[in-house]
Amino acid sequence: MIFIDACFKKPTDYTPIWIMRQAGRYMPEYRALRAEVGSFLDLCKSVKHATEVTLQPINYLNVDAAILFSDILTLPNAMGLDLSFEANKGPVFANPVQNEKDLLKLKNNAFKDMQYVYDTVQSVRGKLDKSKALIGFAGSPWTVATYMVEGSGTKTFYNIKQKLYTDPSFMHKLLEILTEQTKFYLEEQIKAGADAIMIFDSWANALPYEDYYEFSFKYMLEISNYLKEKYPHIALILFPKGVSSFLPQINGNFDVVGIDWSISLEYARDTLSHKYTLQGNMDPSKIHSKETIDEAVERIVDIMKGKSHIFNFGHGIMPTAKPELVKYLVEQVHKKSGIASR
Ligand code: 1CP
């Protein structure tokens, strides 16, 4: 699998590519199935449909890896938080976690109730071409905690930051619970057949630089140490979004660092490439036209020439992206990096 070779810094004939959020609303096939099934959670929980959606972009785009179709919030949902996805509002928890009493109500071993996820992993792996990798994933404890405490997506992170600054022991207790459950949740995905695991710390940038290690990165390291010790052959990707000043401190037992679009790729390469494969970091807005794509591909392939690299966006694809331009991007990355590697 070229994707796994790149994760482990083995030479590849061209740069592998996949697209963050590649299964989703920009694809007409996804929208049709989503409308047929009704709710987003039902789509995640149906093994048949989640398998189909996971494979849609593989067949259409010819990317080098599939990512399990699910969400970072299914784990807290299994822990007892009532989750819905509302149009124009995104995810909502009806009963957010507000105090120590709420922590006691969280279900232990919730990962055991997520058989539908493991069944989907197994089903996708069975149908996926042997040359393509399957990525399993979870949210970082910090990022998942932001939704559990705020009850929904947030621009200010006001509630969780009040907790963090006035009651750090509550925050650490919640983060420890999530770390334990995430370890086992990801382990089950590996046992079911995932070839790689990605941990999304999408809201890393809500934390000030001086608090990032203590409230987020440290917990991701705990998960990666656990998984790497038992499953060294499984590639591990961390995605700490929007924390460029933290890059020099990134260190630990994992293989790939996801670089978001706001970071200088030259700087990330010079800081991290001796140790890690880099993944990223095209601005998803540059999918606008063939010209903007050509320019982005040439620039990124040139910067990463001779280094281990997985091409991706620096965050999720937007629902407005045109599928045929995404397909064009994949072709261009394969073509231009293939020439560059010769
Ligand atoms: O209406 C719909 O059809 C639902 C839209 C949608 C989709 C397609 C949501 C709701 N989640 C997903 C799938 C999803 N989420 C995947 C698998 C699809 C793929 O990559 O091909 C993955 C890996 C995620 C991960 C996820 N969910 C993250 C981390 C990645 C990132 O983009 O930063 C986050 C932050 C979420 C929360 C979430 N779920 C859904 C939405 C709209 C959001 C973001 C809400 C917010 O901005 O706060």
Side-chain angles (χ1 to χ4, degrees):
M1 290 178 212
I2 186 169
F3 173 86
I4 298 296
D5 285 347
C7 289
F8 289 120
K9 282 179 154 280
K10 292 186 187 154
T12 58
D13 290 341
Y14 55 89
T15 303
I17 171 170
W18 68 282
I19 308 284
M20 232 183 276
R21 298 285 195 105
Q22 63 192 10
R25 286 168 290 183
Y26 77 101
M27 287 193 89
E29 297 91 327
Y30 171 83
R31 291 197 301 272
L33 198 63
R34 168 90 160 75
E36 190 191 313
V37 175
S39 91
F40 171 70
L41 260 188
D42 286 342
L43 189 53
C44 293
K45 291 182 180 179
S46 151
V47 175
K48 178 172 171 272
H49 292 128
T51 301
E52 193 180 328
V53 175
T54 305
L55 293 171
Q56 279 171 352
I58 310 303
N59 301 334
Y60 179 70
L61 299 175
N62 192 30
V63 281
D64 300 289
I67 182 160
L68 162 74
F69 188 80
S70 188
D71 198 77
I72 62 166
L73 302 179
T74 50
L75 179 62
N77 178 228
M79 291 164 82
L81 295 199
D82 186 8
L83 175 64
S84 59
F85 288 84
E86 295 174 14
N88 305 322
K89 199 165 181 233
V92 175
F93 284 122
N95 48 340
V97 174
Q98 278 157 350
N99 50 43
E100 304 250 346
K101 261 198 202 147
D102 293 336
L103 293 183
L104 296 174
K105 287 186 229 151
L106 295 175
K107 195 161 185 266
N108 290 324
N109 294 329
F111 75 96
K112 288 188 180 160
D113 297 333
M114 303 183 74
Q115 192 57 42
Y116 67 90
V117 171
Y118 318 133
D119 289 346
T120 303
V121 169
Q122 195 180 9
S123 145
V124 172
R125 191 55 275 178
K127 292 192 163 77
L128 193 61
D129 192 277
K130 300 256 177 303
S131 66
K132 315 255 183 205
L134 173 57
I135 306 169
F137 73 91
S140 74
W142 162 255
T143 289
V144 173
T146 64
Y147 291 95
M148 292 173 81
V149 172
E150 297 283 346
S152 66
T154 167
K155 284 203 169 77
T156 61
F157 299 88
Y158 181 80
N159 296 305
I160 193 161
K161 289 172 97 168
Q162 290 310 307
K163 279 284 175 209
L164 193 151
Y165 296 130
T166 60
D167 194 358
S169 123
F170 165 87
M171 268 319 301
H172 282 301
K173 278 183 197 152
L174 173 56
L175 294 167
E176 274 158 26
I177 292 170
L178 282 167
T179 300
E180 277 309 290
Q181 301 240 10
T182 304
K183 277 183 202 169
F184 302 133
Y185 176 50
L186 291 174
E187 179 167 20
E188 290 304 315
Q189 294 184 36
I190 292 171
K191 286 190 199 158
D195 306 295
I197 292 292
M198 176 149 167
I199 304 176
F200 288 94
D201 198 9
S202 302
W203 305 127
N205 63 352
L207 284 167
Y209 169 79
E210 65 275 17
D211 292 319
Y212 183 60
Y213 182 85
E214 195 55 23
F215 287 93
S216 187
F217 200 71
K218 168 174 110 177
Y219 291 104
M220 291 205 284
L221 286 183
E222 217 178 298
I223 298 167
S224 62
N225 284 336
Y226 176 80
L227 295 176
K228 269 289 166 189
E229 200 163 299
K230 287 182 104 167
Y231 308 97
H233 59 292
I234 298 297
L236 209 55
I237 310 166
L238 298 194
F239 178 57
K241 185 176 178 290
V243 288
S244 52
S245 58
F246 190 76
L247 254 48
Q249 269 111 295
I250 288 186
N251 191 17
N253 201 0
F254 44 87
D255 309 290
V256 183
V257 181
I259 305 296
D260 73 82
W261 55 265
S262 72
I263 294 178
S264 149
L265 192 57
E266 289 97 330
Y267 172 64
R269 176 198 62 197
D270 295 346
T271 313
L272 294 169
S273 266
H274 61 291
K275 259 202 210 140
Y276 300 107
T277 295
L278 301 189
Q279 175 175 280
N281 77 342
M282 179 171 150
D283 183 344
S285 299
K286 290 192 180 170
I287 201 76
H288 183 68
S289 68
K290 285 192 174 176
E291 289 70 33
T292 53
I293 293 169
D294 286 344
E295 185 265 336
V297 171
E298 257 163 52
R299 200 184 135 263
I300 291 174
V301 166
D302 188 47
I303 293 171
M304 292 309 295
K305 199 173 171 181
K307 306 282 182 197
S308 294
H309 180 221
I310 296 161
F311 203 104
N312 204 323
F313 283 159
H315 199 198
I317 188 168
M318 287 182 284
T320 47
K322 289 198 179 78
E324 59 276 18
L325 285 177
V326 188
K327 196 179 162 93
Y328 177 77
L329 168 69
V330 175
E331 283 164 7
Q332 291 308 304
V333 168
H334 283 160
K335 197 169 125 197
K336 288 187 178 147
S337 65
I339 294 164
S341 75
R342 265 181 230 138

